[in-house]
Amino acid sequence: MTRYFAVSNLHELGPLEVHKLYKLRVDVFVHEQGTPYAEIDDADAATSTHHILAWERAASGVTVLDGCARLIPTTVADLAAATGSTLTLDDAPVSQLGRLAVAREFRGTGLADEIMHNALRLAHEKHPSNDVVLTAQSPLRSFYEGYGFSVCGSEFLDSGVAHLPLVLGAAELADYATAPRA
């Protein structure tokens, strides 16, 4: 099998690719995690939203979406309003990282690390002066702290699940300017 990464806006994807993206996210967030929120939102279709997609092509020619994430330019004020969290950041443009999902059969393979590195590299390429902000399920705090993220606000509930806002400063993004090491 051959894995490759692609970055696309939703309108650049074909119907089957969009289906695979939404199916993966619904399988992970709605079915596995039991979160009843609307997984598909208008932010997905914005031309400024970048979807980071980890594809795998089998010898049979079948292409499988192994994992994904998305990166959205926004502001601290808009993010705070959307989450209902109190953020300890000045209002400024930021890059919001979210919807990181890995298919069950690819967990524990290092794929989440590859997606994170590629997403942070993209954030550096597209908006090098923006901090990267995300809202993580609270139990995943240490995963994101491993990339240099730190808590930047109060815990809040999103569809009954505790989340924390986290930030990675723009200065630290330079660490992700190159391709991940094998």
Side-chain angles (χ1 to χ4, degrees), residues 63-97:
T63 303
V64 176
L65 182 61
D66 299 347
C68 63
R70 76 177 183 189
L71 189 68
I72 305 168
T74 189
T75 65
V76 171
D78 287 343
L79 184 59
T83 63
S85 176
T86 303
L87 301 178
T88 57
L89 302 170
D90 293 332
D91 188 26
V94 294
S95 297
Q96 181 186 8
L97 179 59

mmCIF file of all heavy atoms in Angstrom, residues 63-97:
data_model
loop_
_atom_site.group_PDB
_atom_site.id
_atom_site.type_symbol
_atom_site.label_atom_id
_atom_site.label_comp_id
_atom_site.label_asym_id
_atom_site.label_seq_id
_atom_site.Cartn_x
_atom_site.Cartn_y
_atom_site.Cartn_z
ATOM 1 N N THR A 63 -8.776 3.199 -3.153
ATOM 2 C CA THR A 63 -8.217 4.279 -2.353
ATOM 3 C C THR A 63 -9.056 4.439 -1.087
ATOM 4 O O THR A 63 -10.275 4.533 -1.151
ATOM 5 C CB THR A 63 -8.207 5.595 -3.155
ATOM 6 O OG1 THR A 63 -7.462 5.381 -4.353
ATOM 7 C CG2 THR A 63 -7.560 6.710 -2.359
ATOM 8 N N VAL A 64 -8.359 4.448 0.052
ATOM 9 C CA VAL A 64 -9.004 4.529 1.360
ATOM 10 C C VAL A 64 -8.537 5.805 2.043
ATOM 11 O O VAL A 64 -7.355 6.161 1.983
ATOM 12 C CB VAL A 64 -8.618 3.301 2.218
ATOM 13 C CG1 VAL A 64 -9.192 3.402 3.621
ATOM 14 C CG2 VAL A 64 -9.034 2.014 1.539
ATOM 15 N N LEU A 65 -9.448 6.508 2.703
ATOM 16 C CA LEU A 65 -9.080 7.668 3.508
ATOM 17 C C LEU A 65 -8.752 7.163 4.909
ATOM 18 O O LEU A 65 -9.628 6.693 5.640
ATOM 19 C CB LEU A 65 -10.223 8.694 3.549
ATOM 20 C CG LEU A 65 -9.927 9.965 4.328
ATOM 21 C CD1 LEU A 65 -8.745 10.720 3.724
ATOM 22 C CD2 LEU A 65 -11.156 10.859 4.375
ATOM 23 N N ASP A 66 -7.482 7.274 5.297
ATOM 24 C CA ASP A 66 -7.008 6.770 6.586
ATOM 25 C C ASP A 66 -7.206 7.781 7.711
ATOM 26 O O ASP A 66 -7.377 7.401 8.863
ATOM 27 C CB ASP A 66 -5.519 6.437 6.526
ATOM 28 C CG ASP A 66 -5.183 5.362 5.516
ATOM 29 O OD1 ASP A 66 -6.098 4.686 5.014
ATOM 30 O OD2 ASP A 66 -3.979 5.203 5.228
ATOM 31 N N GLY A 67 -7.118 9.067 7.386
ATOM 32 C CA GLY A 67 -7.224 10.095 8.405
ATOM 33 C C GLY A 67 -7.377 11.467 7.781
ATOM 34 O O GLY A 67 -7.179 11.637 6.582
ATOM 35 N N CYS A 68 -7.720 12.437 8.624
ATOM 36 C CA CYS A 68 -7.955 13.791 8.120
ATOM 37 C C CYS A 68 -7.829 14.813 9.236
ATOM 38 O O CYS A 68 -7.802 14.467 10.418
ATOM 39 C CB CYS A 68 -9.339 13.889 7.490
ATOM 40 S SG CYS A 68 -10.689 13.597 8.664
ATOM 41 N N ALA A 69 -7.771 16.057 8.831
ATOM 42 C CA ALA A 69 -7.845 17.212 9.732
ATOM 43 C C ALA A 69 -8.261 18.391 8.859
ATOM 44 O O ALA A 69 -8.281 18.280 7.636
ATOM 45 C CB ALA A 69 -6.502 17.479 10.400
ATOM 46 N N ARG A 70 -8.595 19.497 9.500
ATOM 47 C CA ARG A 70 -8.897 20.699 8.716
ATOM 48 C C ARG A 70 -8.281 21.912 9.384
ATOM 49 O O ARG A 70 -8.084 21.936 10.608
ATOM 50 C CB ARG A 70 -10.386 20.866 8.468
ATOM 51 C CG ARG A 70 -11.186 21.356 9.638
ATOM 52 C CD ARG A 70 -12.646 21.569 9.271
ATOM 53 N NE ARG A 70 -13.349 22.116 10.418
ATOM 54 C CZ ARG A 70 -14.665 22.265 10.491
ATOM 55 N NH1 ARG A 70 -15.420 21.911 9.475
ATOM 56 N NH2 ARG A 70 -15.216 22.782 11.555
ATOM 57 N N LEU A 71 -7.981 22.902 8.562
ATOM 58 C CA LEU A 71 -7.359 24.138 9.019
ATOM 59 C C LEU A 71 -8.185 25.298 8.473
ATOM 60 O O LEU A 71 -8.443 25.374 7.266
ATOM 61 C CB LEU A 71 -5.922 24.221 8.492
ATOM 62 C CG LEU A 71 -5.060 25.332 9.033
ATOM 63 C CD1 LEU A 71 -4.755 25.112 10.517
ATOM 64 C CD2 LEU A 71 -3.760 25.422 8.240
ATOM 65 N N ILE A 72 -8.604 26.196 9.387
ATOM 66 C CA ILE A 72 -9.481 27.303 9.027
ATOM 67 C C ILE A 72 -8.892 28.604 9.565
ATOM 68 O O ILE A 72 -8.631 28.708 10.766
ATOM 69 C CB ILE A 72 -10.879 27.124 9.657
ATOM 70 C CG1 ILE A 72 -11.484 25.788 9.285
ATOM 71 C CG2 ILE A 72 -11.793 28.277 9.291
ATOM 72 C CD1 ILE A 72 -12.723 25.436 10.097
ATOM 73 N N PRO A 73 -8.718 29.622 8.713
ATOM 74 C CA PRO A 73 -8.346 30.928 9.251
ATOM 75 C C PRO A 73 -9.571 31.562 9.916
ATOM 76 O O PRO A 73 -10.672 31.533 9.370
ATOM 77 C CB PRO A 73 -7.898 31.713 8.019
ATOM 78 C CG PRO A 73 -8.557 31.052 6.872
ATOM 79 C CD PRO A 73 -8.785 29.613 7.265
ATOM 80 N N THR A 74 -9.388 32.103 11.111
ATOM 81 C CA THR A 74 -10.489 32.719 11.853
ATOM 82 C C THR A 74 -9.901 33.762 12.794
ATOM 83 O O THR A 74 -8.737 34.156 12.635
ATOM 84 C CB THR A 74 -11.328 31.647 12.601
ATOM 85 O OG1 THR A 74 -12.504 32.241 13.138
ATOM 86 C CG2 THR A 74 -10.550 30.935 13.672
ATOM 87 N N THR A 75 -10.669 34.203 13.746
ATOM 88 C CA THR A 75 -10.160 35.131 14.769
ATOM 89 C C THR A 75 -10.449 34.547 16.142
ATOM 90 O O THR A 75 -11.323 33.683 16.300
ATOM 91 C CB THR A 75 -10.831 36.515 14.675
ATOM 92 O OG1 THR A 75 -12.217 36.378 14.980
ATOM 93 C CG2 THR A 75 -10.630 37.140 13.301
ATOM 94 N N VAL A 76 -9.742 35.039 17.130
ATOM 95 C CA VAL A 76 -9.963 34.596 18.504
ATOM 96 C C VAL A 76 -11.403 34.884 18.918
ATOM 97 O O VAL A 76 -12.069 34.036 19.519
ATOM 98 C CB VAL A 76 -8.958 35.265 19.467
ATOM 99 C CG1 VAL A 76 -9.317 34.991 20.919
ATOM 100 C CG2 VAL A 76 -7.547 34.778 19.169
ATOM 101 N N ALA A 77 -11.915 36.064 18.569
ATOM 102 C CA ALA A 77 -13.283 36.429 18.951
ATOM 103 C C ALA A 77 -14.301 35.482 18.331
ATOM 104 O O ALA A 77 -15.241 35.033 19.005
ATOM 105 C CB ALA A 77 -13.592 37.866 18.551
ATOM 106 N N ASP A 78 -14.128 35.146 17.051
ATOM 107 C CA ASP A 78 -15.065 34.235 16.392
ATOM 108 C C ASP A 78 -14.986 32.833 16.997
ATOM 109 O O ASP A 78 -16.002 32.173 17.187
ATOM 110 C CB ASP A 78 -14.806 34.171 14.889
ATOM 111 C CG ASP A 78 -15.248 35.433 14.168
ATOM 112 O OD1 ASP A 78 -16.021 36.220 14.743
ATOM 113 O OD2 ASP A 78 -14.808 35.622 13.011
ATOM 114 N N LEU A 79 -13.784 32.386 17.317
ATOM 115 C CA LEU A 79 -13.619 31.067 17.928
ATOM 116 C C LEU A 79 -14.251 31.034 19.314
ATOM 117 O O LEU A 79 -14.941 30.076 19.661
ATOM 118 C CB LEU A 79 -12.138 30.700 17.996
ATOM 119 C CG LEU A 79 -11.804 29.317 18.530
ATOM 120 C CD1 LEU A 79 -12.449 28.227 17.686
ATOM 121 C CD2 LEU A 79 -10.296 29.120 18.568
ATOM 122 N N ALA A 80 -14.048 32.076 20.093
ATOM 123 C CA ALA A 80 -14.642 32.134 21.432
ATOM 124 C C ALA A 80 -16.166 32.140 21.339
ATOM 125 O O ALA A 80 -16.848 31.445 22.103
ATOM 126 C CB ALA A 80 -14.145 33.366 22.181
ATOM 127 N N ALA A 81 -16.694 32.884 20.396
ATOM 128 C CA ALA A 81 -18.151 32.944 20.226
ATOM 129 C C ALA A 81 -18.704 31.589 19.790
ATOM 130 O O ALA A 81 -19.760 31.161 20.257
ATOM 131 C CB ALA A 81 -18.521 34.014 19.202
ATOM 132 N N ALA A 82 -17.983 30.897 18.933
ATOM 133 C CA ALA A 82 -18.449 29.609 18.428
ATOM 134 C C ALA A 82 -18.412 28.524 19.491
ATOM 135 O O ALA A 82 -19.257 27.624 19.504
ATOM 136 C CB ALA A 82 -17.616 29.183 17.219
ATOM 137 N N THR A 83 -17.428 28.590 20.398
ATOM 138 C CA THR A 83 -17.283 27.536 21.400
ATOM 139 C C THR A 83 -17.948 27.882 22.726
ATOM 140 O O THR A 83 -18.225 26.990 23.522
ATOM 141 C CB THR A 83 -15.792 27.249 21.688
ATOM 142 O OG1 THR A 83 -15.192 28.416 22.248
ATOM 143 C CG2 THR A 83 -15.059 26.817 20.431
ATOM 144 N N GLY A 84 -18.142 29.160 22.980
ATOM 145 C CA GLY A 84 -18.669 29.572 24.275
ATOM 146 C C GLY A 84 -17.607 29.540 25.356
ATOM 147 O O GLY A 84 -17.900 29.689 26.537
ATOM 148 N N SER A 85 -16.351 29.357 24.971
ATOM 149 C CA SER A 85 -15.248 29.313 25.923
ATOM 150 C C SER A 85 -14.669 30.706 26.114
ATOM 151 O O SER A 85 -14.714 31.539 25.212
ATOM 152 C CB SER A 85 -14.148 28.381 25.408
ATOM 153 O OG SER A 85 -13.042 28.385 26.268
ATOM 154 N N THR A 86 -14.106 30.945 27.271
ATOM 155 C CA THR A 86 -13.378 32.178 27.533
ATOM 156 C C THR A 86 -11.923 31.916 27.190
ATOM 157 O O THR A 86 -11.268 31.101 27.830
ATOM 158 C CB THR A 86 -13.504 32.575 29.017
ATOM 159 O OG1 THR A 86 -14.884 32.698 29.331
ATOM 160 C CG2 THR A 86 -12.784 33.872 29.287
ATOM 161 N N LEU A 87 -11.432 32.589 26.150
ATOM 162 C CA LEU A 87 -10.049 32.400 25.725
ATOM 163 C C LEU A 87 -9.172 33.481 26.325
ATOM 164 O O LEU A 87 -9.565 34.644 26.391
ATOM 165 C CB LEU A 87 -9.946 32.435 24.201
ATOM 166 C CG LEU A 87 -10.778 31.389 23.460
ATOM 167 C CD1 LEU A 87 -10.637 31.563 21.966
ATOM 168 C CD2 LEU A 87 -10.366 29.989 23.864
ATOM 169 N N THR A 88 -7.982 33.092 26.748
ATOM 170 C CA THR A 88 -7.045 34.035 27.358
ATOM 171 C C THR A 88 -6.064 34.544 26.313
ATOM 172 O O THR A 88 -4.866 34.596 26.538
ATOM 173 C CB THR A 88 -6.298 33.363 28.523
ATOM 174 O OG1 THR A 88 -5.637 32.190 28.018
ATOM 175 C CG2 THR A 88 -7.230 32.991 29.647
ATOM 176 N N LEU A 89 -6.594 34.913 25.147
ATOM 177 C CA LEU A 89 -5.787 35.433 24.049
ATOM 178 C C LEU A 89 -6.393 36.751 23.594
ATOM 179 O O LEU A 89 -7.604 36.929 23.643
ATOM 180 C CB LEU A 89 -5.800 34.459 22.860
ATOM 181 C CG LEU A 89 -5.301 33.042 23.100
ATOM 182 C CD1 LEU A 89 -5.618 32.172 21.895
ATOM 183 C CD2 LEU A 89 -3.806 33.057 23.356
ATOM 184 N N ASP A 90 -5.544 37.638 23.116
ATOM 185 C CA ASP A 90 -6.051 38.867 22.515
ATOM 186 C C ASP A 90 -6.725 38.508 21.200
ATOM 187 O O ASP A 90 -6.328 37.551 20.522
ATOM 188 C CB ASP A 90 -4.897 39.847 22.245
ATOM 189 C CG ASP A 90 -4.267 40.370 23.523
ATOM 190 O OD1 ASP A 90 -4.984 40.436 24.547
ATOM 191 O OD2 ASP A 90 -3.072 40.701 23.495
ATOM 192 N N ASP A 91 -7.743 39.298 20.825
ATOM 193 C CA ASP A 91 -8.399 39.043 19.550
ATOM 194 C C ASP A 91 -7.395 39.304 18.428
ATOM 195 O O ASP A 91 -6.792 40.368 18.349
ATOM 196 C CB ASP A 91 -9.635 39.927 19.374
ATOM 197 C CG ASP A 91 -10.433 39.533 18.141
ATOM 198 O OD1 ASP A 91 -10.343 38.357 17.730
ATOM 199 O OD2 ASP A 91 -11.130 40.393 17.581
ATOM 200 N N ALA A 92 -7.200 38.310 17.617
ATOM 201 C CA ALA A 92 -6.248 38.382 16.511
ATOM 202 C C ALA A 92 -6.590 37.295 15.514
ATOM 203 O O ALA A 92 -7.287 36.334 15.849
ATOM 204 C CB ALA A 92 -4.829 38.178 17.038
ATOM 205 N N PRO A 93 -6.081 37.401 14.291
ATOM 206 C CA PRO A 93 -6.246 36.290 13.358
ATOM 207 C C PRO A 93 -5.503 35.055 13.881
ATOM 208 O O PRO A 93 -4.396 35.168 14.417
ATOM 209 C CB PRO A 93 -5.596 36.799 12.064
ATOM 210 C CG PRO A 93 -5.563 38.284 12.203
ATOM 211 C CD PRO A 93 -5.413 38.535 13.673
ATOM 212 N N VAL A 94 -6.125 33.911 13.752
ATOM 213 C CA VAL A 94 -5.529 32.637 14.142
ATOM 214 C C VAL A 94 -5.863 31.593 13.082
ATOM 215 O O VAL A 94 -6.744 31.797 12.249
ATOM 216 C CB VAL A 94 -6.029 32.139 15.522
ATOM 217 C CG1 VAL A 94 -5.565 33.058 16.641
ATOM 218 C CG2 VAL A 94 -7.538 31.982 15.538
ATOM 219 N N SER A 95 -5.164 30.492 13.131
ATOM 220 C CA SER A 95 -5.497 29.326 12.314
ATOM 221 C C SER A 95 -6.110 28.302 13.257
ATOM 222 O O SER A 95 -5.486 27.943 14.256
ATOM 223 C CB SER A 95 -4.244 28.754 11.659
ATOM 224 O OG SER A 95 -3.678 29.696 10.766
ATOM 225 N N GLN A 96 -7.320 27.879 12.945
ATOM 226 C CA GLN A 96 -7.996 26.885 13.790
ATOM 227 C C GLN A 96 -7.788 25.504 13.201
ATOM 228 O O GLN A 96 -8.175 25.228 12.070
ATOM 229 C CB GLN A 96 -9.486 27.178 13.905
ATOM 230 C CG GLN A 96 -10.197 26.173 14.796
ATOM 231 C CD GLN A 96 -11.703 26.369 14.812
ATOM 232 O OE1 GLN A 96 -12.254 27.158 14.065
ATOM 233 N NE2 GLN A 96 -12.360 25.630 15.685
ATOM 234 N N LEU A 97 -7.184 24.631 13.985
ATOM 235 C CA LEU A 97 -6.975 23.240 13.603
ATOM 236 C C LEU A 97 -8.080 22.407 14.238
ATOM 237 O O LEU A 97 -8.398 22.603 15.411
ATOM 238 C CB LEU A 97 -5.602 22.769 14.083
ATOM 239 C CG LEU A 97 -5.216 21.328 13.807
ATOM 240 C CD1 LEU A 97 -5.223 21.030 12.319
ATOM 241 C CD2 LEU A 97 -3.846 21.039 14.401
#
